[in-house]
Each structure stands twice: as C-alpha cells, then as structure tokens.
Amino acid sequence: MDRQEEKTQIITNPSGRELKEHGSYRFPFLVSRERLSRYETGSFLWHWHTEIEFTLVTDGCMIYQINDSSISLNEGDALFGNSGTLHSAHRADEGDCRYISITFSPRLLYGYEGSLLQEKYVEPLIHNSGLAFLHFHGKENYYGKESFNSEESWHGEVIEGLRHITAIYEEKKPLYELRLQEELLHIWRLMLEHCCLDKACNSNGRDEKNYERIRRMITFIQENYQQKLELDDIARHVHLCKSECCRIFKRYMKESLFDYLLKYRIEQSLPDILAGEESLTEIALHSGFADSNYFSKVFHRLKGCSPRDYRKKIYHFKSVPEKSDPEKEIPWTTI
C-alpha cells in the first residue's frame, strides 16, 4: 500500500445509488485503476448505479458479490455487471487486489432513446433479470500457458478488448472516443452472440421485486442506523411480515438482516475511530449501539481486533509523523 494514500469509500445516496460521476453527459464513460486497499475496510460497500460496469483484475484476487451471487475473481479474470445490480467486493485473502473498472452509460451503445439499436440489442440484455453478471475466465491461459476450451474461447477476446479499452482511454490519442465506442460495441456483440437471453429471461419477476424490497431495506437501515431499530420497523417499511422479511434478505444477500445491520453500523463507526477524538461510548452511541461493551465485542468479531488496535494498524500504513516527535503524534486517549 502506498504510504501517502488516503483511505476512501464509495459515496452513495440514501438508497445506495453511487453518486460518483462516470464520465460526463456528453461522453458517459470512465476507466479507473483501483485497488481494494484504498478502502478503509479492504472492501467497497453495497451500492448500485444505472451504468454498466466491467471489472478486470490485474493483480491479486477478490470476492465480488452481485445480487445473490458471489464470484471469485482471480488475476486475469473479468466481470460484466449489469445495469442496476447491487454489488460489493472484498479481499479474498490477506493480500491486496488491483483491478480496472470500466463504467459507461448504456446510451453510449445505442445513441438515442427509442432507436432500433436500443430496442433490439441493448434493452433485452440490460433489462434481463436473469443476467445480473457474466464471468470471463482469464486463468493462466490468457498469457499463453494454456488454451481456452471451445466454450470459453470468446472470453479471451472480451478480456483483450477490455485491455485495449484501458490503453486507448489512458493514452487519449486523436479519435480515442470513437475507438472506445468501437471496442465496446465489439464486446457487446460478443456477449449477444454467446448469451442465451431467452433462457436467462426465464427468471420470473419475483426476483426483481425482491431486489427492490432489499434496496428499500438497505435504504431504511442506512437512514436510521443511528436509532434503535427493530425488525418490526424494517418489515413494516417494506410491507412484509418479519419472517418473510428475514427470509428474502437471507436468500439474496447470503447473510441475515441483523448481521448486515451490525456490519453497517461498524462500517459507519470507522471514521470516528480513526479520528480518535471521541470516547468509545460516544462512538458506540453515534453508530447505533446501546453500550460500548457490546460495540467492542461486535467490532472484534467483525474486524479481528479491538477499535484501538484497528486504528493502530490503519495508521501503520499511512503517512504519520515519527513517534519520536511526541508533539506531532496523533493523540489516542479516549478509547
């Protein structure tokens, strides 16, 4: 990890929709080189956006969760994430993971609303509730050590296209916008040629309705996590009984609703912990915990260390004054 690098986290609105600009209105396209160590927890939180996103792992590995699926992405692998999907990712091991994120608006593919390209070639894929993602297997064969089997031969072509897109975007030579659009259309055609959209469409509308309910649950938690929250409150917000509310969340998110609430509260406590300006009791209350002992117990279970030790570990990697200069040390007297 770079010692000068500040930690960050994805910024979303209360519904979990990412607020980051993916390019501009005139050219809604963005390529960014990322790594999970940039985030305070080595992971980015659940969020969603209307843009399409490709992720290409360049070093290390990660566990990428999209809707109700968890995918292990290794070096050389790529992932297509469909428009509007809930997604998050975390490290697969103690090591870091570097990756390239390619995000763009679907209208870059079809031009204008109501066009034939939109109707025939874009809408059927992005509105397909059974096609949340596609995993392109890079493996070692991308580097010529093995060959792709017949079913995966097109994966290498997609991955090569994503690498071309990254190089074109970063070099920004004349006509680069046209070249980017050409590469995107080529990848899109490959996906249409090799994806069985009719089969994927067999996913009934119940899934999409349940994802919308989960978005509303997450929104309610994010807006009210500092208050005393009971299951009755969340279930009433999405017009479900308590048991059905828990069942739906557990089925799609692979964790209980209560565990998600605890994790979210702990995540929200991290900036205060790193600042070191408030007592443990104050931080616990601000994060929605009734007492500091329970907060510390949950924190240790989720992070593997106490709040104090977590802060020490994070600042070990950040640019801080040498401890030999006590006047410049960041104080830690409250926790």
Side-chain angles (χ1 to χ4, degrees), residues 7-9 36-43 267 270-271 274 303 310 314:
K7 298 293 182 178
T8 185
Q9 189 50 268
L36 290 181
S37 61
R38 290 183 58 241
Y39 301 104
E40 288 182 346
T41 60
S43 63
E267 296 295 327
L270 296 183
L274 294 179
K303 299 300 180 185
Y310 177 82
I314 292 298

Side-chain angles (χ1 to χ4, degrees), residues 47 63 76 88 96 115 123-124 143 160 184 221 287 297 315:
H47 67 286
I63 303 298
S88 66
D96 200 358
S115 70
E123 296 289 334
Y143 301 98
E160 185 69 21
L184 281 180
I221 287 173
S287 306
K297 181 179 179 180
Y315 273 98

Side-chain angles (χ1 to χ4, degrees), residues 73-285:
L73 295 180
N74 300 307
E75 182 177 342
D77 283 2
L79 185 88
F80 158 75
N82 212 341
S83 171
T85 52
L86 285 162
H87 52 285
S88 66
H90 60 271
R91 297 177 184 176
D93 51 36
E94 292 299 318
D96 200 358
C97 179
R98 297 172 183 262
Y99 61 98
I100 296 168
S101 173
I102 299 172
T103 315
F104 61 95
S105 169
R107 64 183 173 86
L108 202 58
L109 299 168
Y110 60 75
Y112 61 91
E113 292 295 324
S115 70
L116 182 64
L117 293 179
Q118 179 186 19
E119 178 184 343
K120 289 185 65 175
Y121 304 118
V122 179
E123 296 289 334
L125 199 156
I126 66 172
H127 288 163
N128 193 313
S129 60
L131 195 66
F133 71 94
L134 289 171
H135 182 188
F136 304 105
H137 298 275
K139 304 177 183 176
E140 291 184 347
N141 45 27
Y142 174 79
Y143 301 98
K145 296 180 181 179
E146 299 176 11
S147 60
F148 284 99
N149 61 46
S150 58
E151 293 181 354
E152 297 178 340
S153 60
W154 66 287
H155 288 204
E157 197 171 348
V158 170
I159 292 170
E160 185 69 21
L162 296 176
R163 294 184 180 275
H164 287 164
I165 284 173
T166 302
I168 293 168
Y169 183 87
E170 292 179 344
E171 292 172 359
K172 287 185 171 57
K173 293 181 178 179
L175 307 178
Y176 82 93
E177 295 93 343
L178 288 176
R179 295 178 62 200
L180 288 173
Q181 190 176 42
E182 287 174 357
E183 291 286 350
L184 281 180
L185 288 169
H186 176 64
I187 291 173
W188 199 259
R189 178 178 60 79
L190 287 171
M191 293 196 299
L192 289 173
E193 288 175 346
H194 293 89
C195 295
C196 184
L197 297 182
D198 291 338
K199 181 179 180 180
C201 280
N202 289 334
S203 176
N204 58 50
R206 184 185 307 152
D207 285 339
E208 186 53 41
K209 186 175 183 179
N210 285 336
Y211 284 129
E212 177 56 32
R213 286 167 169 164
I214 292 171
R215 291 188 189 101
R216 291 175 63 195
M217 292 181 208
I218 290 175
T219 298
F220 188 76
I221 287 173
Q222 291 177 347
E223 292 177 341
N224 299 279
Y225 74 93
Q226 294 176 305
Q227 312 300 322
K228 180 181 179 181
L229 277 182
E230 296 183 353
L231 180 57
D232 277 332
D233 302 322
I234 301 173
R236 187 164 48 248
H237 181 72
V238 294
H239 308 293
L240 292 173
C241 67
K242 291 187 291 184
S243 60
E244 185 68 2
C245 184
C246 292
R247 186 192 69 80
I248 289 174
F249 197 93
K250 177 72 172 180
R251 175 188 172 192
Y252 290 93
M253 306 301 282
K254 309 303 183 186
E255 65 180 339
S256 72
L257 185 55
F258 183 64
D259 283 344
Y260 174 79
L261 172 60
L262 291 180
K263 286 181 180 179
Y264 188 78
R265 282 173 166 168
I266 293 298
E267 296 295 327
Q268 301 312 300
S269 75
L270 296 183
D272 289 337
I273 288 174
L274 294 179
E277 297 174 353
E278 295 181 308
S279 69
L280 182 61
T281 298
E282 290 173 322
I283 294 174
L285 291 174

